[in-house]
């Protein structure tokens, strides 16, 4: 079952930009659907995430691939 999460714009406003310098690394130990990773990449940060649910892997790859070009 796909996970749901807040829209990426909501994470951008209060997540990586508030806690990480522009060229920094955002670590998300509960990566889930990859929303924090999308926000980090949109804001010029690098990201690293993990999740205990192996089912999230493909969902995260699909969500992040447009931002990795």
């Amino acid at each position: 079952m796909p996970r749901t999460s807040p829209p990426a714009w909501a994470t951008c406003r209060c997540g990586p930009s508030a806690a990480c310098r522009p060229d920094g690394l955002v670590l998300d130990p509960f990566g889930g659907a990859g929303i924090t990773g999308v926000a980090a990449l949109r804001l010029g940060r690098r990201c690293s995430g993990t999740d205990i649910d192996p089912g999230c892997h493909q969902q995260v790859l699909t969500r992040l691939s447009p931002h990795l070009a």
Side-chain angles (χ1 to χ4, degrees):
M1 171 188 311
R3 290 190 179 186
T4 59
S5 38
W9 60 263
T11 307
C12 286
R13 292 193 178 264
C14 61
S17 62
C20 185
R21 66 179 191 222
D23 61 343
L25 174 65
V26 175
L27 176 61
D28 186 4
F30 306 101
I35 291 295
T36 301
V38 170
L41 293 172
R42 285 184 177 177
L43 293 168
R45 276 75 170 172
R46 297 170 294 138
C47 64
S48 179
T50 186
D51 198 281
I52 195 169
D53 181 358
C56 292
H57 183 77
Q58 187 58 47
Q59 186 178 5
V60 170
L61 290 178
T62 301
R63 182 165 277 148
L64 292 180
S65 63
H67 303 280
L68 297 174

